[in-house]
Amino acid sequence: MAVIRVEKNRNFTTMSNYHLRDKDLSLKAKGLLSQILSLPDDWDYSVRGLASICLEGKDCIVTTLKELEIKGYLVRKQLRDANGRLGGIEYIIYETPPEPCADSPCTEKPDTVKQDADRPNTAKPDEGNPPQLNTNKTKTKEIKDKEKKELRHKYGAYGNVLLSDEDFEKLMAEFPADYTQRIERLSEYMASSGKSYKSHLATIRSWARKEKPTVQRGYSHDIYKYEEGESL
């Protein structure tokens, strides 16, 4: 049988045959590892980058990389920046798995995360911090209580006078005799004029300050007072 030899004088890769003869390694893993070994040392490794130069998609790349990790040909380490936040992923490639993975499958879990470095950190906050959780719950309750307190209800014949429970209580306390009439007056005026006000309680108060004092009617002893020399 004829054997054709190829002169490898340019554009070729020199690599170990170890992974190619590893019977416990799938053809996909052998192919991907060979692809990785052919890349420059300064190549920016990532799942997305490998998928861009392979026919297979991201899911297949992730599964194959996991196989290489289990067999000891690949170690991925999660890096952190100066502030302790998650950064890029460092890929360490082995042509021959280090001990003890050379003779048996490596069962040690690698210190890695499967996501690309550009994905956001979705880790849950520390649940072992009761004071922090209690503070958050307290703030949430305060916000809900404030929103409930500031919730305004519709009053007046045209349903356009908006008062919160607190505003309505203040209105009743300040104008116990005619607070209903004052609400209706504001409701009718806004409906007829088309005007609106930021605070309806403040508007009613403002109108009350501009009112002229009412003339006292009916019997009063003071009406019949007179100065000396005058007569009724």
Side-chain angles (χ1 to χ4, degrees):
M1 181 177 181
V3 177
I4 301 176
R5 300 288 182 182
V6 179
E7 292 294 333
K8 293 184 266 186
N9 52 9
R10 64 175 182 175
N11 196 23
F12 65 91
T13 300
T14 302
M15 66 181 70
S16 170
N17 290 327
Y18 186 91
H19 68 286
L20 297 174
R21 296 174 180 173
D22 188 350
K23 295 181 179 180
D24 294 331
L25 204 61
S26 69
L27 285 174
K28 287 192 299 183
K30 292 177 182 179
L32 183 59
L33 182 56
S34 299
Q35 177 76 57
I36 292 174
L37 291 173
S38 70
L39 297 172
D41 293 338
D42 58 349
W43 198 76
D44 187 13
Y45 289 89
S46 68
V47 173
R48 184 175 300 174
L50 292 171
S52 66
I53 60 175
C54 298
L55 178 63
E56 289 73 13
K58 287 185 187 179
D59 293 340
C60 181
I61 297 296
V62 169
T63 303
T64 308
L65 288 175
K66 186 63 178 178
E67 180 184 352
L68 291 174
E69 283 181 325
I70 294 174
K71 299 298 183 181
Y73 290 94
L74 169 66
V75 173
R76 289 185 291 181
K77 293 185 178 180
Q78 179 69 59
L79 303 179
R80 294 182 180 272
D81 58 19
N83 297 324
R85 293 176 296 188
L86 294 178
I89 300 177
E90 180 183 50
Y91 283 67
I92 302 176
I93 311 298
Y94 295 97
E95 289 186 313
T96 303
E99 296 293 341
C101 296
D103 298 327
S104 60
C106 179
T107 57
E108 183 180 359
K109 293 183 179 179
D111 182 18
T112 62
V113 284
K114 291 195 289 186
Q115 290 81 0
D116 288 343
D118 55 353
R119 293 189 181 181
N121 179 17
T122 57
K124 293 183 180 180
D126 184 10
E127 297 181 357
N129 187 2
Q132 181 182 2
L133 289 178
N134 291 338
T135 302
N136 292 339
K137 290 180 180 179
T138 302
K139 290 182 179 179
T140 302
K141 185 177 184 301
E142 290 176 354
I143 293 174
K144 289 183 178 180
D145 290 344
K146 184 177 180 181
E147 291 177 350
K148 183 177 180 181
K149 189 176 182 180
E150 294 178 350
L151 180 64
R152 297 191 297 177
H153 306 284
K154 296 179 180 180
Y155 294 91
Y158 299 93
N160 52 359
V161 178
L162 304 179
L163 299 169
S164 66
D165 293 340
E166 184 178 0
D167 290 343
F168 190 74
E169 291 176 1
K170 290 179 180 179
L171 189 63
M172 292 177 62
E174 295 175 22
F175 308 101
D178 60 348
Y179 68 89
T180 302
Q181 290 84 345
R182 293 180 183 275
I183 292 175
E184 294 300 336
R185 177 187 172 192
L186 176 59
S187 178
E188 183 178 351
Y189 179 76
M190 288 194 299
S192 60
S193 65
K195 292 185 177 181
S196 60
Y197 300 93
K198 186 175 181 180
S199 173
H200 293 166
L201 174 62
T203 303
I204 293 175
R205 286 172 170 172
S206 177
W207 286 7
R209 287 193 296 269
K210 295 177 182 179
E211 291 176 353
K212 295 181 179 180
T214 56
V215 178
Q216 188 173 10
R217 299 181 181 277
Y219 171 82
S220 174
H221 181 69
D222 294 335
I223 298 177
Y224 298 95
K225 286 184 178 180
Y226 58 92
E227 300 294 336
E228 186 177 355
E230 296 179 349
S231 66
L232 295 177

